[in-house]
Amino acid sequence: MTTLLVIAKEPRPGRVKTRLTPPFSPAQAAALAEASLADTLDVVARTPATRRVLALDGTPGPWLPPGFDVVPQCAGGLDERLADAFAHCSGPALLIGMDTPQVTPALLTVDFAECDAYFGAAEDGGFWALGLADPDPALLLGVPMSVPETGAVQRRRLVAAGLRVRDLPRLRDVDTAADAAAVAALVPHGRFAALLARCTAHSGTGRR
């Protein structure tokens, strides 16, 4: 089986989901980030895995379910932090972030028997998942992050290394209020959708 990695920030106001502010307050944005992270971790906990690792910038909270090894993120850019997360793995690993609470155990159950890498492109040009049969941090170092071409550059890096790449479905990250509404509609019974509905009603978002 595979090690499942989640890379995340502690959901504290002003540090996460700043593009949700406005229309939401920093406290609401942090609460939405926490709900997204909690939904994601629950899915990972329900997915068969050799090991589950949370690479965390910050301190664990009550949103962390049992069964996860928590490792601190290293200093540096996102490419360095992602590479360091893979460095904690000794076998096949699949890494995701905290921004796609619509993931399912089926999406995260991967088989490296006929490929060397899995790649999940995000609609914003980045990627929501990266799986490596043989985790090599060098495959990520130097990839420009948080730009429209991030995903394309990362996938080309895998192909240039001679890896057989299998693509996962394209998903939408939660970055803006529009993203949040679209993602919540896909998982209407999750924590994220329920909290978004309450925050929207409280803030008046969507009223005319």
Side-chain angles (χ1 to χ4, degrees), residues 8-194:
K9 285 184 179 180
E10 179 187 356
R12 294 170 53 193
R15 295 190 68 247
V16 291
K17 296 295 157 215
T18 54
R19 290 173 62 190
L20 292 177
T21 307
F24 303 110
S25 70
Q28 288 175 323
L32 288 166
E34 179 175 329
S36 176
L37 177 56
D39 281 349
T40 300
L41 294 175
D42 275 358
V43 170
V44 172
R46 291 187 283 112
T47 303
T50 304
R51 184 180 175 218
R52 298 173 183 86
V53 178
L54 174 64
L56 182 64
D57 177 2
T59 303
W63 37 262
L64 178 65
F68 283 79
D69 295 331
V70 179
V71 299
Q73 291 184 29
C74 70
L78 181 56
D79 62 319
E80 295 169 292
R81 288 181 279 132
L82 293 174
D84 184 69
F86 275 109
H88 289 280
C89 303
S90 58
L94 177 71
L95 179 145
I96 65 171
M98 60 185 286
D99 304 331
T100 51
Q102 71 271 44
V103 293
T104 64
L107 280 174
L108 302 184
T109 302
V110 295
D111 182 359
F112 288 94
E114 296 182 357
C115 69
D116 306 303
Y118 279 87
F119 184 78
E123 290 190 6
D124 64 0
F127 58 93
W128 68 269
L130 178 62
L132 298 172
D134 182 16
D136 180 359
L139 291 168
L140 292 109
L141 292 173
V143 172
M145 295 289 165
S146 303
V147 294
E149 61 270 20
T150 292
V153 173
Q154 181 63 74
R155 195 183 188 288
R156 285 199 299 269
R157 177 77 70 87
L158 302 176
V159 173
L163 304 184
R164 298 167 298 167
V165 180
R166 180 168 293 180
D167 291 304
L168 295 169
R170 183 181 298 266
L171 296 186
R172 185 169 184 164
D173 288 332
V174 174
D175 289 319
T176 66
D179 294 331
V183 169
L186 298 174
V187 281
H189 303 298
R191 293 182 186 84
F192 180 78

Side-chain angles (χ1 to χ4, degrees), residues 23-25 27-29 31-32 193-205:
F24 303 110
S25 70
Q28 288 175 323
L32 288 166
L195 181 60
L196 180 66
R198 293 197 297 271
C199 289
T200 299
H202 184 266
S203 67
T205 303

